[in-house]
């Protein structure tokens, strides 16, 4: 999309900028919802012709290469975060748990592949763990806010509901007790307190996000957080399983869509914001993440169509920092993207997409029909030696 598209969009709705002025050019969840309530009918827009190239640039920018390692300080000394192939998890992990999260509802499918193949390679079943309290910025309030359905309640509940379509409930929800309070701590803190409550002194988190462009941001933030003394009682090892790109699924996150591009913008946009070097040098008054190697030299010019035009889940300061866009213009872009994204999904559509993708997955892998964790382990070991994401 050209920049003049935004001007056309703004002027198509009388009072658009006046509404923005009334909210103080804010774009938090309440401000976005207020705009959506005033502008309730909106036509869809075509995605860029080169959208698949843009997505691949995003993967190259925000993704990591399996075999990448990053050293960082913790209360337990210098530790190493490892990036691995989804199908070749380490075999010597201490108390390993597959943690699938990030709001992107493709994550359970990648988690199933990691669990299944690890069982085939080692004869052991990895624990299932999910976290995440709610949909992003109010965008999915109609989806998560329902009482019935698959994608309902919290992000982790939606993940568990999807996983339950492929694995036994007791296995899937074994650690759910730690995340029942939807107003709790951030994801990493919640996992840490779960380990404390279960009297673990060391765990390995196999991180699976369903987003191949999210690797660097996740590690940049979690490695920086783990430097704190708050994490002294439990040693947390990070193993990030890189998720191969999936662009032929039914879920909005599994094919080019407003939602997919929104996840990308929210994942790679912060990589230049409030950073600190691994040696501790920073210009930020409040650093939030490490500056990952070479990220300042990323092809940001090529990524501008995503960063500036599809930020339905991100913040305007990403565009301000990377492209020196004015605050008001960046907020306008965010609100427009939010309106289009809201119009692109429905609660029932999300559930239908989940079921379609589960059926597609089961056509390749088979259908689990047992009831116990032992049944599931045996099924995983005997499942086809075919990779769904290949």
């Amino acid at each position: 999309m050209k920049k003049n598209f935004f001007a056309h969009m703004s002027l198509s709705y009388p009072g658009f900028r006046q509404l923005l002025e009334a909210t103080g050019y804010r774009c938090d969840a309440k401000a976005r919802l207020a705009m959506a309530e005033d502008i309730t009918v909106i036509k869809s827009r075509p995605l860029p012709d080169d959208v698949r190239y843009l997505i691949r640039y995003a993967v190259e920018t925000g993704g990591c290469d399996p075999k990448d390692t990053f050293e960082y300080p913790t209360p337990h000394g210098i530790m190493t975060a490892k990036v691995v192939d989804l199908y070749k998890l380490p075999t010597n992990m201490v108390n390993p748990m597959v943690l699938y999260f990030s709001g992107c509802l493709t994550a359970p499918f990648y988690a199933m592949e990691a669990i299944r193949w690890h069982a085939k390679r080692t004869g052991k079943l990895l624990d299932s763990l999910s976290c995440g309290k709610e949909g992003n910025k109010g965008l999915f309030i109609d989806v998560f806010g329902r009482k019935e359905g698959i994608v309902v309640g919290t992000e982790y509940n939606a993940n568990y509901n999807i996983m339950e379509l492929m694995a036994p409930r007791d296995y899937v929800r074994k650690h759910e007790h730690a995340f029942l309070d939807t107003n709790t701590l951030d994801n990493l803190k919640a996992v840490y307190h779960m380990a404390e409550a279960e009297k673990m002194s060391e765990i390995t988190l196999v991180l699976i996000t369903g987003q191949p462009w999210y690797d660097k941001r996740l590690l940049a933030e979690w490695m920086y957080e783990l430097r704190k003394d708050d994490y002294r009682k439990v040693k947390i090892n990070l193993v990030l399983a890189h998720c191969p790109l999936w662009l032929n699924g039914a879920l909005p996150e599994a094919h080019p869509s407003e939602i997919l591009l929104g996840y990308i913008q929210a994942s790679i946009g912060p990589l230049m914001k409030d950073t600190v070097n691994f040696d501790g040098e920073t210009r930020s008054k409040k650093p939030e993440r490490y500056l990952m190697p070479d990220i300042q030299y990323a092809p940001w010019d090529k990524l501008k169509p995503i960063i500036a035009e599809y930020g339905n889940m991100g913040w305007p300061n990403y565009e301000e920092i990377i492209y020196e866009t004015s605050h008001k213009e960046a907020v306008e872009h965010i609100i427009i993207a939010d309106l289009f994204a809201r119009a692109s999904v429905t609660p029932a559509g999300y559930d239908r997409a989940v079921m379609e993708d589960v059926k597609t997955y089961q056509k390749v892998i088979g259908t689990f029909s047992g009831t116990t964790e032992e049944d599931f382990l045996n099924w995983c070991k005997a499942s086809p030696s075919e990779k769904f994401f290949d």
Side-chain angles (χ1 to χ4, degrees):
M1 298 296 154
K2 302 297 185 184
K3 182 178 281 189
N4 63 6
F5 170 83
F6 286 114
H8 174 74
M9 167 65 202
S10 303
L11 296 174
S12 298
Y13 293 88
F16 180 82
R17 290 199 175 96
Q18 286 85 342
L19 288 171
L20 287 175
E21 291 281 1
T23 66
Y25 275 86
R26 292 178 15 247
C27 62
D28 56 24
K30 289 183 179 179
R32 295 182 191 209
L33 183 58
M35 293 293 291
E37 288 172 345
D38 281 304
I39 303 175
T40 55
V41 179
I42 191 166
K43 294 181 179 179
S44 62
R45 60 177 172 174
L47 299 179
D49 292 337
D50 59 348
V51 65
R52 289 177 180 262
Y53 289 105
L54 293 173
I55 292 169
R56 294 187 183 279
Y57 290 141
V59 174
E60 292 173 9
T61 298
C64 290
D65 184 64
K67 299 181 181 178
D68 280 349
T69 59
F70 303 93
E71 293 187 344
Y72 60 101
T74 76
H76 305 277
I78 300 297
M79 294 182 62
T80 302
K82 300 177 181 179
V83 183
V84 299
D85 188 299
L86 181 75
Y87 291 97
K88 294 180 181 178
L89 303 184
T91 58
N92 59 346
M93 298 180 287
V94 178
N95 292 329
M97 310 178 87
V98 166
L99 176 62
Y100 47 104
F101 69 114
S102 80
C104 201
L105 294 178
T106 52
F109 296 92
Y110 291 96
M112 269 293 297
E113 282 293 85
I115 290 166
R116 186 174 71 86
W117 271 83
H118 191 72
K120 291 179 70 66
R121 293 176 63 230
T122 67
K124 297 178 181 178
L125 198 59
L126 294 165
D127 272 10
S128 162
L129 186 67
S130 190
C131 59
K133 65 180 182 178
E134 60 188 1
N136 288 288
K137 307 274 184 293
L139 175 63
F140 297 130
I141 189 169
D142 292 335
V143 180
F144 284 92
R146 298 175 295 158
K147 292 184 179 179
E148 295 183 356
I150 299 171
V151 185
V152 295
T154 58
E155 289 176 9
Y156 75 78
N157 185 61
N159 281 331
Y160 283 156
N161 284 342
I162 295 170
M163 187 66 87
E164 278 184 47
L165 297 170
M166 302 178 282
R169 178 183 175 86
D170 289 347
Y171 161 73
V172 169
R173 295 184 180 265
K174 183 188 299 184
H175 301 284
E176 183 184 13
H177 65 88
F179 305 97
L180 287 175
D181 182 357
T182 59
N183 296 314
T184 53
L185 307 161
D186 296 333
N187 292 333
L188 182 54
K189 291 178 182 176
V191 172
Y192 177 81
H193 289 302
M194 176 277 298
E196 266 193 315
E198 297 191 10
K199 302 187 185 308
M200 297 179 175
S201 60
E202 182 175 358
I203 61 173
T204 300
L205 297 180
V206 179
L207 306 175
I208 295 181
T209 67
Q211 302 189 61
W213 46 80
Y214 187 43
D215 298 350
K216 286 192 177 76
R217 179 188 169 182
L218 176 58
L219 288 179
E221 294 176 0
W222 281 29
M223 290 189 301
Y224 188 62
E225 174 70 13
L226 285 171
R227 81 194 190 285
K228 297 178 181 177
D229 199 58
D230 303 12
Y231 299 92
R232 180 172 294 279
K233 291 183 181 178
V234 180
K235 183 178 181 182
I236 298 179
N237 304 292
L238 299 180
V239 173
L240 188 147
H242 178 73
C243 297
L245 189 59
W246 184 20
L247 292 179
N248 61 350
L251 275 163
E253 299 95 316
H255 65 261
S257 69
E258 295 276 346
I259 302 301
L260 178 74
L261 297 180
Y263 275 114
I264 291 175
Q265 193 263 15
S267 298
I268 64 175
L271 286 171
M272 295 284 284
K273 175 181 176 288
D274 290 322
T275 61
V276 56
N277 291 338
F278 281 87
D279 61 8
E281 181 182 350
T282 182
R283 294 181 180 179
S284 172
K285 294 180 180 179
K286 191 177 179 181
E288 297 178 359
R289 58 188 62 82
Y290 284 118
L291 178 64
M292 298 300 277
D294 298 324
I295 200 64
Q296 64 266 47
Y297 306 115
W300 295 112
D301 56 330
K302 294 178 180 178
L303 291 165
K304 189 169 184 178
I306 293 179
I307 299 292
E309 300 178 26
Y310 291 90
N312 53 68
M313 301 180 200
W315 293 102
N317 52 16
Y318 307 159
E319 185 181 353
E320 294 168 43
I321 291 168
I322 298 171
Y323 305 114
E324 299 182 349
T325 306
S326 73
H327 177 67
K328 287 187 175 181
E329 184 180 0
V331 169
E332 185 173 327
H333 295 173
I334 292 285
I335 295 298
I336 291 171
D338 180 272
L339 292 170
F340 276 116
R342 289 175 190 270
S344 73
V345 296
T346 65
Y350 247 101
D351 285 359
R352 285 196 299 270
V354 167
M355 292 306 302
E356 186 175 336
D357 284 336
V358 168
K359 288 179 181 178
T360 299
Y361 181 76
Q362 291 175 335
K363 284 180 182 177
V364 176
I365 307 306
T367 301
F368 171 71
S369 58
T371 57
T372 68
E373 191 168 314
E374 183 179 2
D375 291 339
F376 184 57
L377 172 60
N378 291 332
W379 178 84
C380 286
K381 290 191 292 185
S383 64
S385 295
E386 187 171 348
K387 297 175 182 177
F388 183 75
F389 300 107
D390 201 3

